[in-house]
């Protein structure tokens, strides 16, 4: 009797385990996202009181994106003393967006790019230097600190 009970229990367990097996096409059942990639271009040398251009190059699956749903640039100073609110970047050509900027003060700045295409939204940040840095900015740069917590940002 005990043997029959163990055999029935074993067969029942095997049936239950086989019902939980992984489907061969399980990975295909999930939505596959083709993430939006953004390469940010900022000049190596930027002087205060002189205009300069910043660019964002958008791609998806290794190919330049024809036209994004939106691309906005936002400029923040490291210490939070300056913020240029989000502005729409100009569409130049396939995958290329640009904005001309003019900053009056030397310092450590961040360029936040807000870009979206068909539900994929990215927000990369690029650090750049205008003119000369103060001692505090040099220290922050050496420590590798990003003032994300100190500078509140708007989201779409």
């Amino acid at each position: 009797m005990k043997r029959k009970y163990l055999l029935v229990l074993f067969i029942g367990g095997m049936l239950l385990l086989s019902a939980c097996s992984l489907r061969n096409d399980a990975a295909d059942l999930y939505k596959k996202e083709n993430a939006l990639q953004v390469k940010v271009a900022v000049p190596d040398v930027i002087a205060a009181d002189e205009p300069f251009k910043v660019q964002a190059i958008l791609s998806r699956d290794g190919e330049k994106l024809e036209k994004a749903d939106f691309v906005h640039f936002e400029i923040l100073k490291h210490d939070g003393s300056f913020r240029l609110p989000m502005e729409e970047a100009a569409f130049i050509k396939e995958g290329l967006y640009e904005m001309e900027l003019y900053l009056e003060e030397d310092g450590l700045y961040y360029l936040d790019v807000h870009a979206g295409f068909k539900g994929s939204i990215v927000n990369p940040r690029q650090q750049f230097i205008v003119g000369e840095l103060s001692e505090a900015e040099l220290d922050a740069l050496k420590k590798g600190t990003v003032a994300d917590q100190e500078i509140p940002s708007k989201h779409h």
Side-chain angles (χ1 to χ4, degrees), residues 76-123:
L76 315 160
K77 192 163 184 189
H78 166 73
D79 61 4
S81 65
F82 175 81
R83 166 183 245 130
L84 183 64
M86 261 192 276
E87 289 187 35
E88 189 170 345
F91 175 74
I92 304 302
K93 63 180 183 178
E94 185 178 276
L96 180 63
Y97 292 82
E98 184 176 87
M99 180 180 283
E100 185 170 276
L101 297 171
Y102 175 86
L103 297 171
E104 295 178 356
E105 295 181 24
D106 288 354
L108 180 60
Y109 290 86
Y110 300 103
L111 167 64
D112 284 348
V113 178
H114 305 265
F117 179 71
K118 292 186 179 181
S120 180
I121 299 172
V122 293
N123 184 227

Side-chain angles (χ1 to χ4, degrees), residues 76 78 110 112 125 145-153:
L76 315 160
H78 166 73
Y110 300 103
D112 284 348
R125 173 173 274 190
T145 58
V146 177
D148 284 330
Q149 295 80 20
E150 299 169 22
I151 303 172
S153 65

